[in-house]
């Protein structure tokens, strides 16, 4: 992606490589571009480049930097694009020569999202202001909004804004696959909030598993938050099963009051009915069936339990986080809808089997992350991915439009 963007500026020379088995195909692909040189390995890129970006999985960053870092050109600047900066910075400090500067980065959006206007974190870890300015000049071709953080701040904020969001949607997909459901074909999952759930879930599963695994498994804060989300799902589901209306109501409303504070009640909702209903993969029924929205209730409960105020991170939030915040806010700031959800949770067992599988899924993803098991994470992810694969092209198209709309609606909220 970086080569395709940067090559438009012919004053910049781009040296790049990938795995050895991709060398011939990449050389052929970029042969028409005079300012792009494809090398067979990272040693040749490192010794000839002034700014080197490691775009590899977080799990592999130490191994790759150990292999190619010692070949880094004297006085060069090095950065990485991993989703978790703690292991990346540790690898740079361990394997790079002392005369190399470190300015890292991370685009806070998925590979299929237009980078223009999206947050791009820039981390000056060991570098002069001049070197940071050079990196930002190079990265300016994306048209992204630069946010300056330390590596520690980055990992904390990405855990707050991404870890639980991903866990929720991954669990939805796992539950639907376990029940052998294509939710857009079932009336109770079409329209309104359900559109966001379905589109975002398919969007996540249409990407590579490692995009999400590194952030979840290697970030200590993320592990804690995913564990809390699974706990919130389990405890709320037990209250529903037991018919404990008063306790469920008190817990939900206490969490809502903490996250969606009274002073925000006069502000316009991030999402409105006309926006929610536009993006459907199925035919919207004339009358929507009430849902207890366990996944969304658990999200707000989790934020409350962890003391997270989601609005505090809007300046460097991802599109998926904004969508999750938008739908939870929509639910909790509509008193009649919230009462309907609580009543449905206690009195209507239509979603019981779905909620049971969702609870199993949330706990399963949490266990996978807690054990630090990349192999199990990949297996779980790719099993669900294969199930939903036929609908990815349409979901990506609808999802892109939905994300553009939500970003337009939320630009004015880019601050605490």
């Amino acid at each position: 992606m970086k080569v395709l963007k940067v090559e438009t500026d012919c004053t910049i020379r781009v040296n790049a490589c990938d795995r050895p088995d991709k060398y011939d195909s990449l050389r052929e692909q970029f042969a028409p571009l005079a300012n792009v040189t494809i090398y067979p390995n990272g040693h040749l890129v490192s010794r000839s480049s002034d700014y080197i970006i490691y775009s590899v999985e977080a799990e592999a960053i130490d191994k790759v930097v150990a292999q190619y870092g010692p070949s880094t050109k004297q006085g060069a600047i090095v950065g990485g694009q991993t989703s978790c900066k703690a292991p990346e910075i540790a690898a740079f400090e361990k394997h790079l020569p002392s005369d190399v500067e470190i300015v890292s980065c991370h685009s806070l959006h998925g590979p299929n999202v237009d980078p223009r206007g999206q947050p791009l974190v820039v981390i000056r870890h060991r570098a002069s202001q001049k070197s940071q300015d050079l990196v930002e000049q190079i990265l300016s071709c994306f048209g992204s909004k630069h946010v300056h953080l330390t590596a520690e701040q980055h990992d904390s904020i990405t855990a707050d804004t991404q870890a639980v969001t991903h866990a929720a949607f991954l669990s939805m997909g796992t539950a639907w696959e376990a029940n052998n459901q294509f939710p857009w074909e079932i009336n109770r999952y079409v329209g309104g909030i359900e559109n966001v759930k379905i589109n975002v879930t398919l969007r996540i599963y249409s990407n590579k598993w490692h995009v999400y695994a590194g952030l979840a498994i290697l970030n200590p804060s993320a592990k804690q938050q995913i564990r809390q989300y699974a706990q919130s799902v389990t405890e709320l589901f037990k209250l529903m099963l037991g018919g404990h209306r008063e306790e469920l109501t008190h817990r939900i409303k206490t969490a809502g009051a903490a996250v969606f504070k009274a002073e925000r009640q006069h502000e316009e909702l991030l999402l409105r009915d006309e926006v929610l209903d536009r993006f459907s993969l199925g035919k919207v029924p004339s009358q929507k069936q009430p849902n207890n929205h366990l996944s969304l209730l658990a999200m707000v409960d989790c934020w409350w339990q962890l003391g997270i105020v989601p609005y505090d991170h809007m300046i460097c939030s991802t599109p998926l986080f904004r969508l999750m915040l938008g739908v939870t806010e929509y639910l909790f700031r509509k008193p009649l809808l919230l009462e309907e959800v609580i009543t449905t949770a206690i009195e209507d067992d239509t979603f019981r089997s779905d909620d049971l599988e969702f609870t199993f899924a949330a706990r399963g993803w949490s266990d996978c992350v807690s054990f630090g098991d990349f192999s199990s994470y990949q297996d779980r992810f790719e099993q669900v991915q294969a199930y939903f694969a036929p609908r990815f092209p349409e979901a990506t198209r609808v999802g892109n439009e939905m994300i553009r709309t939500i970003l337009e609606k939320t630009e004015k909220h880019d601050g605490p």
Side-chain angles (χ1 to χ4, degrees), residues 333-392:
R333 285 183 52 194
K334 286 182 167 256
L336 292 179
L337 177 58
L338 189 59
E339 287 298 332
E340 177 186 88
V341 164
I342 293 170
T343 298
T344 303
I346 298 298
E347 299 179 4
D348 189 341
D349 63 1
T350 304
F351 287 89
R352 284 291 187 261
S353 63
D354 302 52
D355 291 338
L356 179 63
E357 290 292 352
F358 180 77
T359 303
F360 288 157
R363 293 168 70 94
W365 280 110
S366 176
D367 288 344
C368 182
V369 169
S370 294
F371 297 149
D373 192 340
F374 279 93
S375 179
S376 292
Y377 194 105
Q378 181 179 4
D379 289 344
R380 290 173 62 87
F381 189 98
E382 291 182 344
Q383 177 179 330
V384 181
Q385 184 179 60
Y387 180 76
F388 288 117
R391 294 304 292 264
F392 286 159

Side-chain angles (χ1 to χ4, degrees), residues 86-368:
E88 177 183 290
I89 295 299
F92 288 160
E93 291 181 336
K94 181 179 179 182
H95 302 297
L96 293 177
S98 58
D99 58 21
V100 170
E101 297 186 278
I102 301 171
V103 180
S104 209
C105 62
H106 183 209
S107 299
L108 296 181
H109 57 83
N112 296 318
V113 176
D114 186 339
R116 289 174 295 184
Q118 297 292 342
L120 191 162
V121 175
V122 177
I123 299 169
R124 186 173 110 189
H125 180 71
R126 188 177 80 194
S128 65
Q129 183 62 51
K130 180 181 178 182
S131 294
Q132 178 180 328
D133 292 343
L134 174 61
V135 170
E136 296 205 55
Q137 179 186 351
I138 295 171
L139 297 177
S140 65
C141 63
F142 294 113
S144 298
K145 179 173 52 184
H146 293 185
V147 180
H148 301 99
L149 299 173
T150 65
E152 293 78 11
Q153 289 170 331
H154 168 275
D155 284 356
S156 175
I157 290 173
T158 52
D160 288 355
T161 58
Q162 296 184 51
V164 180
T165 304
H166 296 160
F169 290 116
L170 288 170
S171 299
M172 291 180 209
T174 301
W176 287 326
E177 188 265 343
N179 275 333
N180 197 26
Q181 293 172 333
F182 294 106
W184 55 86
E185 297 176 352
I186 304 171
N187 279 351
R188 68 175 184 263
Y189 280 120
V190 179
I193 290 174
E194 309 299 345
N195 289 343
V196 176
K197 290 182 182 178
I198 293 169
N199 284 318
V200 174
T201 297
L202 293 186
R203 187 178 191 84
I204 285 176
Y205 277 106
S206 69
N207 291 321
K208 299 289 187 182
W209 66 274
H210 64 76
V211 172
Y212 309 101
L215 182 146
I217 292 175
L218 297 176
N219 189 325
S221 297
K223 288 186 179 183
Q224 175 194 359
Q225 293 177 16
I226 293 170
R227 189 181 308 117
Q228 177 58 56
Y229 182 70
Q231 186 174 334
S232 292
V233 169
T234 303
E235 292 174 359
L236 292 178
F237 183 52
K238 287 180 179 179
L239 291 177
M240 294 177 186
L241 281 178
H244 303 298
R245 178 190 287 270
E246 186 175 340
E247 187 176 349
L248 179 67
T249 301
H250 176 73
R251 180 160 175 170
I252 289 172
K253 292 191 173 181
T254 301
V259 173
F260 307 106
K261 299 183 185 298
E263 58 266 27
R264 291 195 175 273
Q265 297 304 311
H266 69 281
E267 295 180 0
E268 183 182 352
L269 290 170
L270 300 181
L271 288 176
R272 305 184 72 83
D273 291 310
E274 60 271 20
V275 174
L276 289 169
D277 282 333
R278 275 174 53 191
F279 306 105
S280 178
L281 293 180
K283 184 178 180 181
V284 179
S286 56
Q287 186 172 356
K288 296 174 187 175
Q289 183 170 352
N291 188 339
N292 61 47
H293 293 301
L294 173 59
S295 59
L296 304 184
L297 297 179
M299 178 64 64
V300 175
D301 186 83
C302 176
W303 284 335
W304 168 53
Q305 299 283 353
L306 294 169
I308 294 172
V309 180
Y311 296 97
D312 290 350
H313 299 318
M314 290 295 280
I315 188 64
C316 48
S317 61
T318 65
L320 299 191
F321 176 75
R322 292 186 181 209
L323 286 169
M324 176 57 87
L325 178 57
V327 292
T328 54
E329 179 194 69
Y330 179 89
L331 172 58
F332 275 80
R333 285 183 52 194
K334 286 182 167 256
L336 292 179
L337 177 58
L338 189 59
E339 287 298 332
E340 177 186 88
V341 164
I342 293 170
T343 298
T344 303
I346 298 298
E347 299 179 4
D348 189 341
D349 63 1
T350 304
F351 287 89
R352 284 291 187 261
S353 63
D354 302 52
D355 291 338
L356 179 63
E357 290 292 352
F358 180 77
T359 303
F360 288 157
R363 293 168 70 94
W365 280 110
S366 176
D367 288 344
C368 182

